[in-house]
Structure formats: C-alpha cells, structure tokens
Amino acid sequence: MGDVLSFLESSVTQGIIYSLVAIGLFISYRILDIADLTVDGSFTLGAAVSATFTINGKPLLGVFMAIISGMLAGCVTAFLQTKLKIHPIMAGILTMTGLYSINLRVMGKTPTLSLMRIDTIFTPFERLLGDKNASYLVTSVILLLLVLILVIMFFKTHLGLCVRATGNNEAMVRSSSINVDVMKFIALAIANGSVALSGAVLAQYQHSANISMGTGIVIIGLASLIIGEIIVGKKHLIQNAIAVVIGSIVYWIIIALVMRADIDVSDIKLLSALIIILSLSYPVIINKIKFFRQKATGNRLAQTKGEK
Amino acid sequence: MLSCNNITKIFNKGTLNEKKALDDVTLQLNDGDFVTVIGGNGAGKSTLLNAIAGSFFVDGGTLQLDGEDITFMPEHKRARLIGRLFQDPLKGTAPDMTIEENMALAAGRGGKFSFGIGIGKAQRAYFRERLEKLGLGLENRMKNKMGLLSGGQRQAVTLLMATMSVPKLLLLDEHTAALDPATAEKVINLTKEIVEQEHITTLMITHNIHSALECGNRTIMMDDGKIILDINGDERKNMTVEALLQLFRLKSSKELDNDRMLLTK
Ligand SMILES: Nc1ncnc2c1ncn2[C@@H]1O[C@H](COP(=O)(O)OP(=O)(O)OP(=O)(O)O)[C@@H](O)[C@H]1O
Ligand SMILES: [Mg+2]
C-alpha cells in the first residue's frame, strides 16, 4: 500500500513539474497555432541555467534566470519567424540546434551536472515538513499554481486577448491595428519561459541536469496536453488550465505503470511513441467510428425502407 | 479626406504572369463621401481597397488620408484609421473567441492596451447596447463563441466592430456577397444606418448594381485597373441600371462580363 502511494506521489510530482511544458505547448500550439520545436532546447536551457546557479548556492535565483533565458530563446524563434520570415517549424529547429551548443557552454562543457547533496528550492519545505517527497510535491504545486494564475490572468487582459486572436485569425488582428509580430514574440517568450521553468525545477528535483534531457520533450508535452483535453475538455481558459495539469499527471502515471509492468526497458521508447500516437489520433479515430456508425444506421434505414 | 495619387500596382513584376492590377489610379474622396465601386471580375476593385488598407505597398504613386501621407505606413498602423470588411464572414472575427471578446478587441483599436483583467461592466453594457440595435438577439449570446454564428450574424457583428471606434475611412469589399438576399439586405441597411449616423467616409465594392446606385452619394466603375466612370449628383440620381450598363459597354468596349453581377434587384 505504502509502495503504491509513494509510486503515485512521485508520478504526480513529475506530472506537475512537466505540466509546465504542457502549458508552454498550450500557448504555442493551441493559442498561437504554431508547432514550436524550440521547446527541446529551452527545456534543457532551463535545466542547465538552474543547475549552474544551484551549484553556486542560488537555487531560487537559478529558477528565475532559467525563466528569463527560456523567454529569450522564445524571442529568438519569434525573430526568425516574423522578421526573417523563416517557416515556424524551421525557426524552432534552428533555435533548438543552436541552443545545444549554448547549453553545453552553460554547463561548463560537461554533458552532466550533478546536484547531489546541494541545497535546492525544495530544501526549505523539506526542513519544514521533515519529508523529502512531501516537499517535492508541495513546492511544485505552489510553483504550478503561481504560473497558472499568472497565465490565466494574462490571457484575460486586453493584451492577452490580442495574443489569443493572433493564433485564431491573424488578418482580423492586423485590421484591429495590432502588431501581429509583437504578439508572436510575447506568446513564444511566455511559452518557452514556462518550458524552461519546467526544466529548471526538474533538474533540482532529480538532482542533475543532462544535455539531452530535453530530447523529445515537445512530444511529451503535446501528448499530455491532448490527453488532458480529452479528459477535461477545452471549452474555456480554466478548463484548459486544468486539462494541462491532469493530462500531464495521467501521462506520467501511464509511463510509470508501463515501467513497473514486466516490460523490457528498451521497449519503453516504442511504447511512449504508441501512447502518443494514440492520444494524438484520438479525434480522428472517434470521428471514423461515428462515421461508420452513421453509415451503418443509414444502410439499415435504407434497407427497411426498401423492404416496405 | 482620402487621396490616391497616380497609384499603380503590378503583381508578379518581371515574370510571365505580370499583371498591372492598378494602372495610374487617381481618386479623391471628400469628407463623408459614401462611394460605391462596381466593375467586372479582375477589374482591380479589391486591389484598390487593399492598396488603401496597406495589405501591400503600391509600386507607384502616393496615398494620403486626412492630410497624412500613408503610402508606406504598415497595415496594422493604418488600421487605426481604417475599418474594413471582407466578402468572407470568416475573415473579420476570431471564431474561437466569444462575441464580447471579439468586440473588446475591436474596441481597443486606435487606443492603447489596457491591462485590466477581463471585460469591465461598463464595457459589457456598451457592447450589449450596440448588439441590441442589430435586432438579432445577439445581446443574449455575448459569451458564445463567434464561430457559432451564421454568416450574416457574423458580418453584422463585424460591421459593428469595424465602426465601434469610429474610423476615418470604411472599406467594404462585397461584404454582403456571401449572404442570402434577405440577410444581405439587412446588412446593407445596417451599413447605411451606421455610415450615416457616424458620418464615416466609405468605399463599398458591390456586385449589385442596384444597390450601387441606391447606396451612397457617388459611384465609380473600374475596368482593367483604371477608373472608367465616376458619377455623382444629378447625373447619378437619374441613372438607371440599363443606362449604367450601356455606359460600361461604351467606355470599356466590352460587355460587363461578371458572372456574379446582379443587374436587377
Ligand atoms: N495577390 C495577387 N497576386 C497576383 N495577382 C493578383 C493578386 N491579387 C489580384 N491579382 C490580379 O489582379 C487583378 C485584379 O484583381 P482584383 O482582385 O482587384 O479584382 P476585383 O475587381 O476585385 O475582381 P472580383 O470582382 O472578381 O473580386 C486580377 O487580374 C487578379 O488576378
Ligand atoms: Mg474582389
């Protein structure tokens, strides 16, 4: 029983930390309608910056600087997209590729940084609660709530409305006398800031940063986002916010279950890909099923008519 | 008010597909003018409106609005002065945002950003009052997504949005062409009402020659990138659809080859 609880606790904590990635993807993929691949790089950037500051005894400042650096990374992608007119996907790939070298430099040219036995942002609550795992959970929940409140409030301001409209109908936004390019800068900065924050917190949570920890993160975030939307819905902002968190937690519980089952470790990648394909294609599959049902009833109706 | 001075627009310059869509067009609009624009397919009507709105920069000539040179002003800055409606009702609004959110966006046009959270009480009341005037019952659906409305409803709301913070110039590009006749007439009447009330200088493209003569105070006809006819006053008052078509034939030495042209009511 205790085993199940601690298993759940760690998946939930991971889910909460990673839900910051899903928030970022919600902003770029859903609101701005751009598949932003910067994410793989900005996640690692956040982790690298956060780990470096933590080693130097400034874990909280590290988290803050990680957000700033992630936002800058988002601005670079926005610059490539809007001012240099590079295709959004290409722009993201370019920033991500460039970030690999930058991340290595941030980490002092070593592929791994260890934070073992170093104070992190989790330490204050750990001392207070006397329990490491509880502190992980409480600290990340507080951070997540802060981010969610800020993001929801932002998208309710007039500026936030403009950002939302940019992904929805660019022509309309332009004819409302709003600079579309500026809106893309803002959205991509916020999105990548949130992703970098996720990397920053994760690095301190697992007491290490790794140059390749961001690989494939865009797919994980996307899958979480879509799982959440299926479970919770996506009618309004509050629902979107809850969906992102639930989706991410469910994703990490699934992964943990898979890892506990008698499954060869080398097959996990394939399984993750399958989970993601299933969650991404869910709408198509549902529509197909509906269509076939409709066709079947249509045929039946036609038949009964024919019999008369 | 608005002056287009010898504006020229050439698409695909230097290629086989080169097309002079605007050929040395000069047009002066006076304050409060409501000008209807007619002409065959590909005559350059939309291109003229796009040039004025700043969808692209012209290849020659200058544009002035209210004394200010806007020739090289970017589109989103011009939008502060110019309201705009397109044929496609989907173009003017954000489908995934609610009616009131769409209106709040439009209300911000010309102003600076406000950082208040959400839509204020006073603002909502104002939106409601404007929507009530449409008589479409939309005032009770302000929290509905825009995408749920019919084409005519969307176009009516778009018209409200384009004129809410009153523009110096209103550009309408066949904004009723995608609507059924009854709805089209409603939207046309609404257009006339708002333009008159707010005294907005307006340029309206239409394929309905009848409403071209009936709306506004002046009609221009375009062909092959040029303005070939410009009538107002008594000449326009006494003009009939038949006579106008005759004039077109005379000036352009071809039939008005417009598949969508509505010759009668
Ligand atoms: N973006 C563009 N690129 C190339 N050619 C264009 C472009 N836009 C318009 N044209 C061409 O310019 C000419 C004028 O087009 P325009 O859209 O202004 O016609 P219109 O008078 O609005 O016609 P319609 O009644 O069919 O809307 C046409 O020959 C058209 O093919
Ligand atoms: Mg046209």
PDB file of all heavy atoms in Angstrom, chain A residues 176-209:
ATOM      1  N   SER A 176      -7.340  45.058 -36.646  1.00  0.00           N
ATOM      2  CA  SER A 176      -7.688  45.742 -35.397  1.00  0.00           C
ATOM      3  C   SER A 176      -6.517  46.592 -34.923  1.00  0.00           C
ATOM      4  O   SER A 176      -6.435  46.946 -33.763  1.00  0.00           O
ATOM      5  CB  SER A 176      -8.046  44.739 -34.298  1.00  0.00           C
ATOM      6  OG  SER A 176      -9.005  43.843 -34.748  1.00  0.00           O
ATOM      7  N   SER A 177      -5.606  46.863 -35.842  1.00  0.00           N
ATOM      8  CA  SER A 177      -4.466  47.731 -35.539  1.00  0.00           C
ATOM      9  C   SER A 177      -3.559  47.171 -34.451  1.00  0.00           C
ATOM     10  O   SER A 177      -3.107  47.886 -33.568  1.00  0.00           O
ATOM     11  CB  SER A 177      -4.945  49.123 -35.138  1.00  0.00           C
ATOM     12  OG  SER A 177      -3.848  50.002 -35.090  1.00  0.00           O
ATOM     13  N   ILE A 178      -3.329  45.856 -34.519  1.00  0.00           N
ATOM     14  CA  ILE A 178      -2.426  45.228 -33.558  1.00  0.00           C
ATOM     15  C   ILE A 178      -1.243  44.666 -34.325  1.00  0.00           C
ATOM     16  O   ILE A 178      -1.415  44.071 -35.393  1.00  0.00           O
ATOM     17  CB  ILE A 178      -3.153  44.100 -32.799  1.00  0.00           C
ATOM     18  CG1 ILE A 178      -4.300  44.683 -31.986  1.00  0.00           C
ATOM     19  CG2 ILE A 178      -2.188  43.348 -31.898  1.00  0.00           C
ATOM     20  CD1 ILE A 178      -5.355  43.671 -31.643  1.00  0.00           C
ATOM     21  N   ASN A 179      -0.043  44.844 -33.791  1.00  0.00           N
ATOM     22  CA  ASN A 179       1.143  44.337 -34.444  1.00  0.00           C
ATOM     23  C   ASN A 179       1.273  42.835 -34.177  1.00  0.00           C
ATOM     24  O   ASN A 179       1.633  42.404 -33.090  1.00  0.00           O
ATOM     25  CB  ASN A 179       2.370  45.086 -33.927  1.00  0.00           C
ATOM     26  CG  ASN A 179       3.593  44.771 -34.750  1.00  0.00           C
ATOM     27  OD1 ASN A 179       3.682  43.724 -35.383  1.00  0.00           O
ATOM     28  ND2 ASN A 179       4.543  45.693 -34.741  1.00  0.00           N
ATOM     29  N   VAL A 180       0.967  42.054 -35.201  1.00  0.00           N
ATOM     30  CA  VAL A 180       0.952  40.598 -35.079  1.00  0.00           C
ATOM     31  C   VAL A 180       2.317  40.054 -34.649  1.00  0.00           C
ATOM     32  O   VAL A 180       2.412  39.135 -33.837  1.00  0.00           O
ATOM     33  CB  VAL A 180       0.527  39.969 -36.424  1.00  0.00           C
ATOM     34  CG1 VAL A 180       0.669  38.473 -36.378  1.00  0.00           C
ATOM     35  CG2 VAL A 180      -0.904  40.346 -36.750  1.00  0.00           C
ATOM     36  N   ASP A 181       3.377  40.652 -35.198  1.00  0.00           N
ATOM     37  CA  ASP A 181       4.728  40.184 -34.871  1.00  0.00           C
ATOM     38  C   ASP A 181       4.991  40.294 -33.371  1.00  0.00           C
ATOM     39  O   ASP A 181       5.516  39.372 -32.745  1.00  0.00           O
ATOM     40  CB  ASP A 181       5.775  41.007 -35.633  1.00  0.00           C
ATOM     41  CG  ASP A 181       5.740  40.697 -37.122  1.00  0.00           C
ATOM     42  OD1 ASP A 181       4.958  39.808 -37.503  1.00  0.00           O
ATOM     43  OD2 ASP A 181       6.482  41.336 -37.883  1.00  0.00           O
ATOM     44  N   VAL A 182       4.606  41.423 -32.806  1.00  0.00           N
ATOM     45  CA  VAL A 182       4.820  41.620 -31.369  1.00  0.00           C
ATOM     46  C   VAL A 182       4.075  40.558 -30.559  1.00  0.00           C
ATOM     47  O   VAL A 182       4.596  40.004 -29.587  1.00  0.00           O
ATOM     48  CB  VAL A 182       4.366  43.040 -30.950  1.00  0.00           C
ATOM     49  CG1 VAL A 182       4.416  43.186 -29.443  1.00  0.00           C
ATOM     50  CG2 VAL A 182       5.234  44.091 -31.615  1.00  0.00           C
ATOM     51  N   MET A 183       2.863  40.237 -30.999  1.00  0.00           N
ATOM     52  CA  MET A 183       2.071  39.223 -30.295  1.00  0.00           C
ATOM     53  C   MET A 183       2.781  37.870 -30.318  1.00  0.00           C
ATOM     54  O   MET A 183       2.751  37.118 -29.354  1.00  0.00           O
ATOM     55  CB  MET A 183       0.683  39.076 -30.945  1.00  0.00           C
ATOM     56  CG  MET A 183      -0.175  40.318 -30.873  1.00  0.00           C
ATOM     57  SD  MET A 183      -0.348  40.944 -29.200  1.00  0.00           S
ATOM     58  CE  MET A 183       0.256  42.591 -29.402  1.00  0.00           C
ATOM     59  N   LYS A 184       3.426  37.555 -31.448  1.00  0.00           N
ATOM     60  CA  LYS A 184       4.131  36.269 -31.547  1.00  0.00           C
ATOM     61  C   LYS A 184       5.355  36.245 -30.629  1.00  0.00           C
ATOM     62  O   LYS A 184       5.652  35.223 -30.013  1.00  0.00           O
ATOM     63  CB  LYS A 184       4.539  35.999 -32.997  1.00  0.00           C
ATOM     64  CG  LYS A 184       3.350  35.664 -33.857  1.00  0.00           C
ATOM     65  CD  LYS A 184       3.738  35.290 -35.266  1.00  0.00           C
ATOM     66  CE  LYS A 184       2.479  34.964 -36.060  1.00  0.00           C
ATOM     67  NZ  LYS A 184       2.746  34.819 -37.491  1.00  0.00           N
ATOM     68  N   PHE A 185       6.046  37.379 -30.546  1.00  0.00           N
ATOM     69  CA  PHE A 185       7.169  37.481 -29.607  1.00  0.00           C
ATOM     70  C   PHE A 185       6.680  37.190 -28.190  1.00  0.00           C
ATOM     71  O   PHE A 185       7.259  36.387 -27.460  1.00  0.00           O
ATOM     72  CB  PHE A 185       7.786  38.891 -29.649  1.00  0.00           C
ATOM     73  CG  PHE A 185       8.920  39.028 -30.616  1.00  0.00           C
ATOM     74  CD1 PHE A 185       8.689  39.379 -31.926  1.00  0.00           C
ATOM     75  CD2 PHE A 185      10.224  38.791 -30.222  1.00  0.00           C
ATOM     76  CE1 PHE A 185       9.722  39.504 -32.834  1.00  0.00           C
ATOM     77  CE2 PHE A 185      11.279  38.915 -31.115  1.00  0.00           C
ATOM     78  CZ  PHE A 185      11.024  39.275 -32.428  1.00  0.00           C
ATOM     79  N   ILE A 186       5.595  37.856 -27.820  1.00  0.00           N
ATOM     80  CA  ILE A 186       5.088  37.711 -26.451  1.00  0.00           C
ATOM     81  C   ILE A 186       4.703  36.264 -26.170  1.00  0.00           C
ATOM     82  O   ILE A 186       5.106  35.672 -25.160  1.00  0.00           O
ATOM     83  CB  ILE A 186       3.879  38.642 -26.240  1.00  0.00           C
ATOM     84  CG1 ILE A 186       4.336  40.109 -26.294  1.00  0.00           C
ATOM     85  CG2 ILE A 186       3.188  38.356 -24.913  1.00  0.00           C
ATOM     86  CD1 ILE A 186       3.206  41.110 -26.274  1.00  0.00           C
ATOM     87  N   ALA A 187       3.940  35.665 -27.095  1.00  0.00           N
ATOM     88  CA  ALA A 187       3.445  34.309 -26.866  1.00  0.00           C
ATOM     89  C   ALA A 187       4.602  33.311 -26.785  1.00  0.00           C
ATOM     90  O   ALA A 187       4.646  32.470 -25.883  1.00  0.00           O
ATOM     91  CB  ALA A 187       2.477  33.908 -27.975  1.00  0.00           C
ATOM     92  N   LEU A 188       5.544  33.405 -27.715  1.00  0.00           N
ATOM     93  CA  LEU A 188       6.645  32.440 -27.708  1.00  0.00           C
ATOM     94  C   LEU A 188       7.559  32.651 -26.505  1.00  0.00           C
ATOM     95  O   LEU A 188       8.126  31.698 -25.969  1.00  0.00           O
ATOM     96  CB  LEU A 188       7.433  32.525 -29.021  1.00  0.00           C
ATOM     97  CG  LEU A 188       6.684  31.924 -30.217  1.00  0.00           C
ATOM     98  CD1 LEU A 188       7.448  32.133 -31.512  1.00  0.00           C
ATOM     99  CD2 LEU A 188       6.436  30.433 -29.997  1.00  0.00           C
ATOM    100  N   ALA A 189       7.695  33.889 -26.064  1.00  0.00           N
ATOM    101  CA  ALA A 189       8.501  34.147 -24.869  1.00  0.00           C
ATOM    102  C   ALA A 189       7.852  33.496 -23.648  1.00  0.00           C
ATOM    103  O   ALA A 189       8.505  32.778 -22.887  1.00  0.00           O
ATOM    104  CB  ALA A 189       8.668  35.644 -24.659  1.00  0.00           C
ATOM    105  N   ILE A 190       6.559  33.713 -23.482  1.00  0.00           N
ATOM    106  CA  ILE A 190       5.882  33.122 -22.325  1.00  0.00           C
ATOM    107  C   ILE A 190       5.932  31.597 -22.397  1.00  0.00           C
ATOM    108  O   ILE A 190       6.235  30.914 -21.415  1.00  0.00           O
ATOM    109  CB  ILE A 190       4.410  33.591 -22.247  1.00  0.00           C
ATOM    110  CG1 ILE A 190       4.354  35.107 -22.086  1.00  0.00           C
ATOM    111  CG2 ILE A 190       3.693  32.926 -21.074  1.00  0.00           C
ATOM    112  CD1 ILE A 190       2.956  35.664 -22.056  1.00  0.00           C
ATOM    113  N   ALA A 191       5.661  31.058 -23.584  1.00  0.00           N
ATOM    114  CA  ALA A 191       5.641  29.600 -23.745  1.00  0.00           C
ATOM    115  C   ALA A 191       6.995  28.999 -23.369  1.00  0.00           C
ATOM    116  O   ALA A 191       7.073  28.062 -22.564  1.00  0.00           O
ATOM    117  CB  ALA A 191       5.283  29.240 -25.188  1.00  0.00           C
ATOM    118  N   ASN A 192       8.064  29.560 -23.908  1.00  0.00           N
ATOM    119  CA  ASN A 192       9.373  28.978 -23.638  1.00  0.00           C
ATOM    120  C   ASN A 192       9.879  29.301 -22.241  1.00  0.00           C
ATOM    121  O   ASN A 192      10.675  28.550 -21.673  1.00  0.00           O
ATOM    122  CB  ASN A 192      10.381  29.416 -24.704  1.00  0.00           C
ATOM    123  CG  ASN A 192      10.193  28.635 -25.991  1.00  0.00           C
ATOM    124  OD1 ASN A 192      10.521  27.455 -26.066  1.00  0.00           O
ATOM    125  ND2 ASN A 192       9.616  29.277 -26.990  1.00  0.00           N
ATOM    126  N   GLY A 193       9.396  30.396 -21.677  1.00  0.00           N
ATOM    127  CA  GLY A 193       9.707  30.682 -20.283  1.00  0.00           C
ATOM    128  C   GLY A 193       9.142  29.593 -19.381  1.00  0.00           C
ATOM    129  O   GLY A 193       9.811  29.095 -18.467  1.00  0.00           O
ATOM    130  N   SER A 194       7.918  29.183 -19.671  1.00  0.00           N
ATOM    131  CA  SER A 194       7.277  28.139 -18.878  1.00  0.00           C
ATOM    132  C   SER A 194       7.993  26.798 -19.062  1.00  0.00           C
ATOM    133  O   SER A 194       8.215  26.058 -18.094  1.00  0.00           O
ATOM    134  CB  SER A 194       5.801  28.023 -19.293  1.00  0.00           C
ATOM    135  OG  SER A 194       5.162  27.016 -18.567  1.00  0.00           O
ATOM    136  N   VAL A 195       8.396  26.513 -20.284  1.00  0.00           N
ATOM    137  CA  VAL A 195       9.109  25.261 -20.561  1.00  0.00           C
ATOM    138  C   VAL A 195      10.463  25.253 -19.837  1.00  0.00           C
ATOM    139  O   VAL A 195      10.845  24.251 -19.217  1.00  0.00           O
ATOM    140  CB  VAL A 195       9.313  25.083 -22.086  1.00  0.00           C
ATOM    141  CG1 VAL A 195      10.241  23.922 -22.366  1.00  0.00           C
ATOM    142  CG2 VAL A 195       7.975  24.875 -22.769  1.00  0.00           C
ATOM    143  N   ALA A 196      11.163  26.365 -19.888  1.00  0.00           N
ATOM    144  CA  ALA A 196      12.460  26.446 -19.220  1.00  0.00           C
ATOM    145  C   ALA A 196      12.294  26.300 -17.709  1.00  0.00           C
ATOM    146  O   ALA A 196      13.112  25.669 -17.029  1.00  0.00           O
ATOM    147  CB  ALA A 196      13.144  27.771 -19.552  1.00  0.00           C
ATOM    148  N   LEU A 197      11.219  26.860 -17.185  1.00  0.00           N
ATOM    149  CA  LEU A 197      10.937  26.716 -15.756  1.00  0.00           C
ATOM    150  C   LEU A 197      10.765  25.236 -15.407  1.00  0.00           C
ATOM    151  O   LEU A 197      11.277  24.758 -14.386  1.00  0.00           O
ATOM    152  CB  LEU A 197       9.670  27.500 -15.396  1.00  0.00           C
ATOM    153  CG  LEU A 197       9.129  27.298 -13.976  1.00  0.00           C
ATOM    154  CD1 LEU A 197      10.156  27.756 -12.947  1.00  0.00           C
ATOM    155  CD2 LEU A 197       7.814  28.051 -13.787  1.00  0.00           C
ATOM    156  N   SER A 198      10.078  24.514 -16.274  1.00  0.00           N
ATOM    157  CA  SER A 198       9.890  23.083 -16.055  1.00  0.00           C
ATOM    158  C   SER A 198      11.251  22.376 -15.980  1.00  0.00           C
ATOM    159  O   SER A 198      11.516  21.608 -15.051  1.00  0.00           O
ATOM    160  CB  SER A 198       9.040  22.499 -17.185  1.00  0.00           C
ATOM    161  OG  SER A 198       8.893  21.124 -17.013  1.00  0.00           O
ATOM    162  N   GLY A 199      12.114  22.668 -16.945  1.00  0.00           N
ATOM    163  CA  GLY A 199      13.443  22.068 -16.946  1.00  0.00           C
ATOM    164  C   GLY A 199      14.218  22.447 -15.691  1.00  0.00           C
ATOM    165  O   GLY A 199      14.912  21.617 -15.087  1.00  0.00           O
ATOM    166  N   ALA A 200      14.070  23.701 -15.284  1.00  0.00           N
ATOM    167  CA  ALA A 200      14.795  24.201 -14.116  1.00  0.00           C
ATOM    168  C   ALA A 200      14.382  23.447 -12.851  1.00  0.00           C
ATOM    169  O   ALA A 200      15.217  23.019 -12.046  1.00  0.00           O
ATOM    170  CB  ALA A 200      14.523  25.693 -13.946  1.00  0.00           C
ATOM    171  N   VAL A 201      13.074  23.266 -12.678  1.00  0.00           N
ATOM    172  CA  VAL A 201      12.570  22.588 -11.485  1.00  0.00           C
ATOM    173  C   VAL A 201      12.932  21.103 -11.538  1.00  0.00           C
ATOM    174  O   VAL A 201      13.347  20.513 -10.536  1.00  0.00           O
ATOM    175  CB  VAL A 201      11.037  22.771 -11.368  1.00  0.00           C
ATOM    176  CG1 VAL A 201      10.495  22.010 -10.172  1.00  0.00           C
ATOM    177  CG2 VAL A 201      10.701  24.251 -11.245  1.00  0.00           C
ATOM    178  N   LEU A 202      12.827  20.521 -12.728  1.00  0.00           N
ATOM    179  CA  LEU A 202      13.130  19.094 -12.852  1.00  0.00           C
ATOM    180  C   LEU A 202      14.596  18.807 -12.493  1.00  0.00           C
ATOM    181  O   LEU A 202      14.896  17.839 -11.799  1.00  0.00           O
ATOM    182  CB  LEU A 202      12.832  18.590 -14.263  1.00  0.00           C
ATOM    183  CG  LEU A 202      12.903  17.071 -14.355  1.00  0.00           C
ATOM    184  CD1 LEU A 202      11.638  16.447 -13.775  1.00  0.00           C
ATOM    185  CD2 LEU A 202      13.122  16.587 -15.778  1.00  0.00           C
ATOM    186  N   ALA A 203      15.485  19.679 -12.944  1.00  0.00           N
ATOM    187  CA  ALA A 203      16.906  19.474 -12.664  1.00  0.00           C
ATOM    188  C   ALA A 203      17.149  19.433 -11.155  1.00  0.00           C
ATOM    189  O   ALA A 203      17.876  18.579 -10.646  1.00  0.00           O
ATOM    190  CB  ALA A 203      17.731  20.577 -13.317  1.00  0.00           C
ATOM    191  N   GLN A 204      16.496  20.361 -10.440  1.00  0.00           N
ATOM    192  CA  GLN A 204      16.697  20.389  -8.987  1.00  0.00           C
ATOM    193  C   GLN A 204      15.989  19.221  -8.311  1.00  0.00           C
ATOM    194  O   GLN A 204      16.444  18.712  -7.290  1.00  0.00           O
ATOM    195  CB  GLN A 204      16.207  21.732  -8.418  1.00  0.00           C
ATOM    196  CG  GLN A 204      16.994  22.913  -8.994  1.00  0.00           C
ATOM    197  CD  GLN A 204      16.808  24.192  -8.199  1.00  0.00           C
ATOM    198  OE1 GLN A 204      16.467  24.158  -7.019  1.00  0.00           O
ATOM    199  NE2 GLN A 204      17.045  25.323  -8.848  1.00  0.00           N
ATOM    200  N   TYR A 205      14.879  18.777  -8.911  1.00  0.00           N
ATOM    201  CA  TYR A 205      14.120  17.646  -8.379  1.00  0.00           C
ATOM    202  C   TYR A 205      14.920  16.356  -8.497  1.00  0.00           C
ATOM    203  O   TYR A 205      15.017  15.575  -7.549  1.00  0.00           O
ATOM    204  CB  TYR A 205      12.794  17.544  -9.124  1.00  0.00           C
ATOM    205  CG  TYR A 205      12.008  16.260  -8.931  1.00  0.00           C
ATOM    206  CD1 TYR A 205      11.316  16.013  -7.744  1.00  0.00           C
ATOM    207  CD2 TYR A 205      11.926  15.314  -9.952  1.00  0.00           C
ATOM    208  CE1 TYR A 205      10.579  14.856  -7.581  1.00  0.00           C
ATOM    209  CE2 TYR A 205      11.195  14.155  -9.802  1.00  0.00           C
ATOM    210  CZ  TYR A 205      10.524  13.920  -8.608  1.00  0.00           C
ATOM    211  OH  TYR A 205       9.797  12.770  -8.457  1.00  0.00           O
ATOM    212  N   GLN A 206      15.517  16.146  -9.659  1.00  0.00           N
ATOM    213  CA  GLN A 206      16.256  14.890  -9.828  1.00  0.00           C
ATOM    214  C   GLN A 206      17.746  15.049  -9.545  1.00  0.00           C
ATOM    215  O   GLN A 206      18.539  14.158  -9.825  1.00  0.00           O
ATOM    216  CB  GLN A 206      16.007  14.282 -11.205  1.00  0.00           C
ATOM    217  CG  GLN A 206      16.461  15.173 -12.358  1.00  0.00           C
ATOM    218  CD  GLN A 206      16.046  14.614 -13.708  1.00  0.00           C
ATOM    219  OE1 GLN A 206      15.060  13.901 -13.814  1.00  0.00           O
ATOM    220  NE2 GLN A 206      16.803  14.949 -14.749  1.00  0.00           N
ATOM    221  N   HIS A 207      18.118  16.221  -9.014  1.00  0.00           N
ATOM    222  CA  HIS A 207      19.494  16.477  -8.601  1.00  0.00           C
ATOM    223  C   HIS A 207      20.503  16.279  -9.718  1.00  0.00           C
ATOM    224  O   HIS A 207      21.629  15.874  -9.473  1.00  0.00           O
ATOM    225  CB  HIS A 207      19.885  15.596  -7.400  1.00  0.00           C
ATOM    226  CG  HIS A 207      19.172  16.010  -6.148  1.00  0.00           C
ATOM    227  ND1 HIS A 207      19.571  17.090  -5.394  1.00  0.00           N
ATOM    228  CD2 HIS A 207      18.070  15.514  -5.544  1.00  0.00           C
ATOM    229  CE1 HIS A 207      18.741  17.229  -4.373  1.00  0.00           C
ATOM    230  NE2 HIS A 207      17.821  16.280  -4.441  1.00  0.00           N
ATOM    231  N   SER A 208      20.073  16.567 -10.952  1.00  0.00           N
ATOM    232  CA  SER A 208      21.055  16.529 -12.039  1.00  0.00           C
ATOM    233  C   SER A 208      20.483  17.206 -13.271  1.00  0.00           C
ATOM    234  O   SER A 208      19.266  17.280 -13.445  1.00  0.00           O
ATOM    235  CB  SER A 208      21.433  15.085 -12.377  1.00  0.00           C
ATOM    236  OG  SER A 208      20.373  14.471 -13.070  1.00  0.00           O
ATOM    237  N   ALA A 209      21.393  17.696 -14.083  1.00  0.00           N
ATOM    238  CA  ALA A 209      20.999  18.232 -15.377  1.00  0.00           C
ATOM    239  C   ALA A 209      21.808  17.501 -16.426  1.00  0.00           C
ATOM    240  O   ALA A 209      22.980  17.187 -16.199  1.00  0.00           O
ATOM    241  CB  ALA A 209      21.272  19.732 -15.440  1.00  0.00           C
TER     242      ALA A 209
END
